[in-house]
Amino acid sequence: MRGGGLLVAGTTSDAGKSVVTAGICRWLVRQGVRVAPFKGQNMSLNSFVTREGAEIGRAQAMQAQAARVEPTALMNPVLLKPGSDRSSQVVLMGRPVGELSARGYHGGKQRELLEPVLDCLQRLRDSYDAVICEGAGSPAEINLRRTDIVNMGIARAARFPVLVVGDIDRGGVFAQFFGTTALLAPEDQELVAGYLVNKFRGDVTLLEPGLDMLLGLTGRRTFGVLPYAHGLGIDEEDGLRVSLRGTVRESVVAPPVGEDVLRVAVCAVPLMSNFTDVDALAAEPGVVVRFVDRPEELVDADLVVVPGTRGTVRALAWLRERGLADAIARRAAEGRPVLGICGGFQALGERIEDDVESRAGEVAGLGLLPVSVRFAPEKTLARPAGEALGEHVEGYEIHHGVADVRGGEPFLDGCRVGAVWGTHWHGSLESDGFRRAFLRDVAAAAGRRFVPAPDTSFGALREEQLDRLGDLIEEHADTDALWKLIEAGPPAGLPFLPPGAP
């Protein structure tokens, strides 16, 4: 068989579409099926650079890893990177093509992208046994249906069956399943094959009467009930919510190797991008990672990270308004570790000239690194490799800012001055030897008796997490029925639920 497929939709954003798609991909590849993930349009500040130099959503890169294939731009042809509540950068086939308001995008541009999106899907179908598509938000967003290129627009064009995922942990999942289906047009309802319950806690036998009633009301079965799984740590598609104070990145449940833990505080800057950079730190036994937005929360931190952002100038203003800029400067003067990544690196420099991202012109940086940054219209997209602290390092770059480094010690194409480090490289901390060497330096500067675990492999931990997702599908979903959907398409004779879309 070649070219079969399935669309994983959701009753809401964050219902679990990304992880279910990854889980289905991992389950299929373990059965010997050549499978690829696909998402026609993704809105996310967490992105990744493929080997051909294309920018795609990190969720699709993670799903490609689940499928054990190399991620490509075909898997996420349209990526929207928010720059404000009302506008986004549009990335087409891995390259930015402009900045559009929400009205401008949905008012016409989106519909123009349907043809190239469907072309990418067809190319994947021609190359793989199965393509597992991920939807966005909810397919029942009837105000956006006319221009849809990611939910039912894809399903109808490809004649793919649709599996609707609902997060029961939020409550109201039966109403969400019924209402999602009943708000679709008859032609779309014909493709909704059934439902998958996600994040269930408790005795599943207590849920079964409700699933039977849902079948009676909709004529559609439930293909599985996935239990709530703690500590998956899989890449999020969207940025963390606005209120981050006290949020702790999930860590491996293991005691520290040394006598002390190491505390990492990540400044929750506006439009934070690729905050997954700190996942490798959180994977280390004895490292506690927190997102913070107050200067007093930096006092007991052994390392402060200023992460990437889609709005460097806006992030600088936020750091100053919150008093975090002064707190970071005091740390630097005291020789206490600070790491700036991408936009965070730019903020730590002396001067920023930005006529591209914020159009603010010349703006003073925090002055902690001898770097000036000029924003170029062209975006740098690269997969660099090199050496730092005597260890091999690999990463990826996604930025408009061009850094002119005029001093300090060289550090991953950035620089280091004392205990302040800055680089444009995302993902560098996933290189195990370098991460351990960096943490040893941080611990020494912080005066902590922390010792990195000698055998932590971030790649192996990621593989274990993806296998757990595959296990969830294999153990808690009707995989025979799922395979039939993928191979044969939507079941015939599915009933129409009124009122349908207008």
Side-chain angles (χ1 to χ4, degrees):
M1 183 208 69
R2 176 167 288 186
L6 176 73
L7 175 73
V8 179
T11 58
T12 62
S13 294
D14 203 31
K17 298 182 294 292
S18 295
V19 294
V20 167
T21 300
I24 293 175
C25 285
R26 178 50 60 102
W27 159 64
L28 284 172
V29 77
R30 293 196 304 207
Q31 310 307 309
V33 178
R34 296 187 68 250
V35 58
F38 178 80
K39 185 164 185 172
Q41 171 196 294
N42 196 348
M43 177 174 279
S44 179
L45 287 170
N46 280 336
S47 57
F48 181 76
V49 179
T50 67
R51 294 207 179 274
E52 75 266 32
E55 184 179 9
I56 66 172
R58 271 198 72 100
Q60 280 60 65
M62 175 269 293
Q63 291 160 358
Q65 186 176 349
R68 295 179 180 148
V69 296
E70 189 67 34
T72 73
L74 294 176
M75 298 171 183
N76 179 207
V78 179
L79 173 64
L80 304 179
K81 301 195 74 176
S84 71
D85 291 340
R86 298 194 175 191
S87 68
S88 294
Q89 183 181 68
V90 181
V91 178
L92 177 63
M93 292 303 295
R95 295 286 172 179
V97 295
E99 195 93 11
L100 280 178
S101 67
R103 181 176 293 276
Y105 183 71
H106 291 291
K109 182 65 177 178
Q110 186 182 35
R111 190 66 184 177
E112 295 174 13
L113 297 174
L114 180 60
E115 185 175 343
V117 165
L118 291 177
D119 177 67
C120 290
L121 176 57
Q122 187 58 52
R123 289 166 66 182
L124 290 175
R125 295 182 74 180
D126 291 341
S127 302
Y128 291 89
D129 300 329
V131 180
I132 307 302
C133 304
E134 179 189 345
S138 162
E141 292 165 350
I142 55 179
N143 56 315
L144 304 178
R145 175 62 184 91
R146 182 179 60 84
T147 58
D148 173 53
I149 63 170
V150 66
N151 288 309
M152 301 311 299
I154 290 291
R156 197 189 294 190
R159 297 302 301 171
F160 275 179
V162 177
L163 181 69
V164 181
V165 178
D167 179 356
I168 197 170
D169 196 51
R170 295 182 175 187
V173 75
F174 293 116
Q176 292 169 17
F177 284 145
F178 185 92
T180 297
T181 309
L183 278 179
L184 300 178
E187 297 83 356
D188 289 342
Q189 287 195 28
E190 290 175 1
L191 304 175
V192 177
Y195 313 111
L196 186 74
V197 176
N198 191 29
K199 298 183 183 178
F200 179 73
R201 306 173 193 251
D203 184 349
V204 73
T205 61
L206 299 177
L207 188 66
E208 288 170 353
L211 301 180
D212 292 339
M213 286 186 275
L214 184 66
L215 173 62
L217 289 166
T218 67
R220 291 161 174 84
R221 57 165 299 182
T222 298
F223 285 80
V225 178
L226 307 185
Y228 195 105
H230 293 276
L232 287 175
I234 295 297
D235 298 347
E236 282 94 344
E237 178 175 284
D238 301 313
L240 291 173
R241 301 299 179 255
V242 175
S243 178
L244 288 154
R245 193 163 53 81
T247 299
V248 179
R249 203 81 176 138
E250 289 181 336
S251 304
V252 174
V253 182
V257 175
E259 296 179 46
D260 288 345
V261 299
L262 207 63
R263 296 172 176 84
V264 179
V266 184
C267 297
V269 297
L271 299 174
M272 182 166 45
S273 61
N274 290 76
F275 59 82
T276 46
D277 282 330
V278 300
D279 283 353
L281 295 179
E284 283 284 348
V287 176
V288 179
V289 178
R290 300 177 69 245
F291 290 88
V292 302
D293 59 5
R294 293 179 179 176
E296 55 266 30
E297 293 175 302
L298 305 188
V299 173
D300 67 345
D302 303 307
L303 169 67
V304 169
V305 177
V306 187
T309 171
R310 173 86 162 85
T312 302
V313 170
R314 181 176 168 185
L316 263 171
W318 181 87
L319 289 168
R320 288 180 167 124
E321 290 164 3
R322 297 273 177 145
L324 288 161
D326 289 339
I328 292 170
R330 286 194 297 271
R331 289 183 64 88
E334 295 165 1
R336 302 175 65 200
V338 177
L339 171 65
I341 303 174
C342 199
F345 165 45
Q346 296 166 6
L348 296 179
E350 296 172 344
R351 182 174 62 87
I352 294 171
E353 186 181 334
D354 182 8
D355 296 318
V356 176
E357 192 175 76
S358 68
R359 296 181 175 85
E362 188 169 322
V363 177
L366 298 186
L368 304 182
L369 292 175
V371 176
S372 61
V373 176
R374 177 184 56 82
F375 276 68
E378 302 79 23
K379 181 183 282 190
T380 297
L381 297 169
R383 290 278 293 270
E387 186 174 299
L389 303 180
E391 300 286 348
H392 178 72
V393 190
E394 296 182 8
Y396 58 99
E397 294 184 67
I398 307 169
H399 53 91
H400 283 279
V402 179
D404 178 18
V405 179
R406 301 185 310 281
E409 299 176 43
F411 174 67
L412 301 180
D413 293 337
C415 65
R416 172 189 183 181
V417 175
V420 181
W421 318 62
T423 177
H424 270 137
W425 292 24
H426 294 289
S428 62
L429 294 166
E430 296 179 18
S431 298
D432 297 326
F434 165 71
R435 182 180 64 254
R436 287 192 277 269
F438 176 72
L439 289 176
R440 281 193 290 270
D441 267 26
V442 167
R448 293 285 185 188
R449 290 171 294 182
F450 168 84
V451 178
D455 55 356
T456 301
S457 166
F458 185 76
L461 288 172
R462 174 52 53 92
E463 277 297 302
E464 290 174 13
Q465 291 166 333
L466 293 172
D467 275 332
R468 288 180 63 195
L469 294 181
D471 292 344
L472 284 173
I473 298 298
E474 190 168 339
E475 296 169 11
H476 300 282
D478 186 338
T479 51
D480 289 340
L482 283 179
W483 177 245
K484 185 176 179 180
L485 283 182
I486 293 167
E487 190 174 36
L494 292 170
F496 170 70
L497 271 63

